[in-house]
Amino acid sequence: MRTIDWDYEKNNIIMIDQTLLPVEYRVIECSSIDSLCEAIISLRVRGAPALGAAGGFGVALAAFKCNASSLDAIIKNIENAGKTLIATRPTAVNLSWGVKRVIRAVEDARNIKEAKMFALDEAKEIADEDVKKNMQLGEYGASLLEDGDTVMTHCNAGRLACVDWGTALGVIRSARAEGKDIKVISCETRPLNQGSRLTAWELMEDKIPVTLITDSMSGHVMRKGMVDKVIVGADRITHDAVFNKIGTYTHSIVAKEHGIPFYVAAPVSTFDFEMFEDEVEIEIRKPEELRFFGNRQIAPLDVDVYNPAFDATPMENVTGIITENGIYYPPFLIEEVKIRV
Ligand code: MRU
């Protein structure tokens, strides 16, 4: 199934619980905004485009579960739910983009029935569009890859991070669909190991050759000539920087040092070109994620911890940004993005 979807019988959200992979594949339901917020915060659903769909379906869920008898009350309810959802993860811009887009669609409703219908139709549209955009983006990106290339990636920008297909991994899937022999090096992505748990799992499911390394090995493999290109996803692209999973910035510096192209693959909904790096809030996660590995304590319980979930890679380290509208090269002009949005 898709990473996240709607159950039309129960009018609930269904999703693959990504915290259980690769040990267990389980589909869970969210029947309330509270359970959806819990799923987002604990990364049962994660990755910028999947969060966009979660935000959209979340607004639809708020509309369906609201028993209010007036349209105004339903609208108030979904606006409050939207605020709660947006606050769960501040860095990935797609979440607020998905929420706002569905709320806007509901504004045209003339009655409660239409409010529910418009919300669900728009949320479904976001999910369907995501798959189409990723496949389009994948085709553009595939043109950058040569037969025999090894691509290094960080975190999980695959189908699990989207509704389907993936952004960075979508490029690899598209290139392989064209018959190119592409191999992947996946960084494990501490502290929550999206690279080892999710990227390695989904590539192996598709029989795409993947080798797992620790994040600290990226310099070594690039210096050894084992990497032809780096492709990562993005959580937010501002005027001057690309926000992605913590560790991305370090890989970009090593890639630049070794003359290895560093690409970002992301839908246009991830662009926030009116903002600058310093204005973006980076999500700080719990110290327990570094003090424990699963249930096992791996640090003194009272050690001070700094645990930002994302970092910013300055544009000068980025070779190109692969989108569903084409590939952007430096200088990444705001005018150009605006025209193409
Ligand atoms: O904390 P996560 O797992 O949601 O972080 C995800 C990433 O950083 C991805 O690289 C990004 O969202 C792009 S997904 C296509």
Side-chain angles (χ1 to χ4, degrees), residues 100-115:
K100 287 175 189 162
R101 182 167 150 178
V102 175
I103 290 179
R104 263 198 315 275
V106 176
E107 279 163 10
D108 294 335
R110 287 162 303 180
N111 53 50
I112 293 176
K113 195 171 165 215
E114 274 191 0

Side-chain angles (χ1 to χ4, degrees), residues 116-181:
K116 291 180 182 176
M117 211 172 67
F118 288 3
L120 184 54
D121 285 354
E122 193 68 13
K124 188 77 175 55
E125 185 63 27
I126 289 178
D128 291 346
E129 269 178 20
D130 181 64
V131 185
K132 281 191 218 130
K133 285 178 193 171
N134 291 336
M135 297 195 81
Q136 183 64 57
L137 174 163
E139 260 180 52
Y140 284 122
S143 67
L144 299 167
L145 299 185
E146 282 163 45
D147 190 29
D149 270 357
T150 296
V151 176
M152 194 186 94
T153 191
H154 188 67
C155 195
N156 173 264
R159 74 177 177 87
L160 289 166
C162 303
V163 177
D164 206 345
W165 200 248
T167 56
L169 300 191
V171 170
I172 290 156
R173 285 197 166 92
S174 298
R176 287 194 56 100
E178 288 174 7
K180 292 177 186 165
D181 174 25

Side-chain angles (χ1 to χ4, degrees), residues 47 70 97 101 114 116 122 127 146 234 261 276 278 283 299 323 331:
S70 78
W97 170 85
R101 182 167 150 178
E114 274 191 0
K116 291 180 182 176
E122 193 68 13
E146 282 163 45
F276 286 82
D278 290 348
E283 176 186 350
T323 77

Side-chain angles (χ1 to χ4, degrees), residues 46-49 89 155-157 161-162 167 194 233-235 244-245 310:
R46 42 137 311 273
R89 299 202 73 189
C155 195
N156 173 264
C162 303
T167 56
Q194 289 91 332
D235 288 87
N244 192 47
K245 179 55 57 195
F310 303 99

Side-chain angles (χ1 to χ4, degrees), residues 10-307:
K10 295 184 183 164
N11 286 323
N12 288 338
I13 297 172
I14 46 174
M15 63 177 73
I16 299 169
D17 185 343
Q18 300 188 34
T19 60
L20 304 175
L21 287 170
V23 178
E24 189 188 342
Y25 178 97
R26 194 193 297 169
V27 175
I28 55 166
E29 279 179 26
C30 289
S31 55
S32 66
I33 293 300
D34 282 353
S35 64
L36 178 60
C37 288
E38 188 282 331
I40 293 173
I41 292 167
S42 58
L43 310 195
R44 296 184 202 287
V45 61
R46 42 137 311 273
L51 289 173
F57 281 129
V59 174
L61 188 70
F64 271 84
K65 302 296 171 186
C66 178
N67 293 323
S69 51
S70 78
L71 181 60
D72 281 354
I74 293 246
I75 293 196
K76 194 108 230 91
N77 185 272
I78 63 171
E79 282 171 354
N80 288 338
K83 280 188 201 135
T84 311
L85 284 166
I86 289 172
T88 53
R89 299 202 73 189
T91 311
V93 72
N94 306 58
L95 176 59
S96 60
W97 170 85
V99 165
K100 287 175 189 162
R101 182 167 150 178
V102 175
I103 290 179
R104 263 198 315 275
V106 176
E107 279 163 10
D108 294 335
R110 287 162 303 180
N111 53 50
I112 293 176
K113 195 171 165 215
E114 274 191 0
K116 291 180 182 176
M117 211 172 67
F118 288 3
L120 184 54
D121 285 354
E122 193 68 13
K124 188 77 175 55
E125 185 63 27
I126 289 178
D128 291 346
E129 269 178 20
D130 181 64
V131 185
K132 281 191 218 130
K133 285 178 193 171
N134 291 336
M135 297 195 81
Q136 183 64 57
L137 174 163
E139 260 180 52
Y140 284 122
S143 67
L144 299 167
L145 299 185
E146 282 163 45
D147 190 29
D149 270 357
T150 296
V151 176
M152 194 186 94
T153 191
H154 188 67
C155 195
N156 173 264
R159 74 177 177 87
L160 289 166
C162 303
V163 177
D164 206 345
W165 200 248
T167 56
L169 300 191
V171 170
I172 290 156
R173 285 197 166 92
S174 298
R176 287 194 56 100
E178 288 174 7
K180 292 177 186 165
D181 174 25
I182 308 294
K183 295 183 181 61
V184 180
I185 291 181
S186 171
C187 297
E188 67 172 347
T189 319
R190 284 284 294 143
L192 295 179
N193 288 66
Q194 289 91 332
S196 56
R197 292 187 304 103
L198 308 175
T199 294
W201 178 81
E202 69 163 82
L203 290 176
M204 289 179 77
E205 285 279 297
D206 280 9
K207 309 222 172 336
I208 299 175
V210 53
T211 301
L212 178 64
I213 62 168
T214 65
D215 304 332
S216 51
M217 292 173 191
S218 77
H220 175 76
V221 294
M222 286 200 248
R223 187 168 161 81
K224 283 273 177 196
M226 293 163 71
V227 176
D228 298 295
K229 272 126 201 164
V230 178
I231 310 182
V232 295
D235 288 87
R236 189 187 292 244
I237 301 173
T238 59
H239 191 69
D240 52 348
V242 172
F243 287 80
N244 192 47
K245 179 55 57 195
I246 191 77
T248 303
Y249 171 52
T250 316
H251 300 321
S252 78
I253 296 171
V254 181
K256 198 173 180 188
E257 170 72 17
H258 294 284
I260 297 169
F262 182 93
Y263 292 105
V264 174
V268 170
S269 54
T270 307
F271 282 87
D272 192 8
F273 253 31
E274 314 228 320
M275 295 266 276
F276 286 82
E277 179 185 340
D278 290 348
E279 298 170 284
V280 176
E281 180 184 348
I282 292 188
E283 176 186 350
I284 303 293
R285 294 189 61 89
K286 287 191 205 145
E288 280 66 32
E289 291 179 354
L290 270 73
R291 293 184 187 139
F292 289 86
F293 193 81
N295 290 329
R296 183 158 173 238
Q297 186 187 330
I298 53 166
L301 286 181
D302 50 359
V303 69
D304 284 343
V305 167
Y306 175 54
N307 185 17

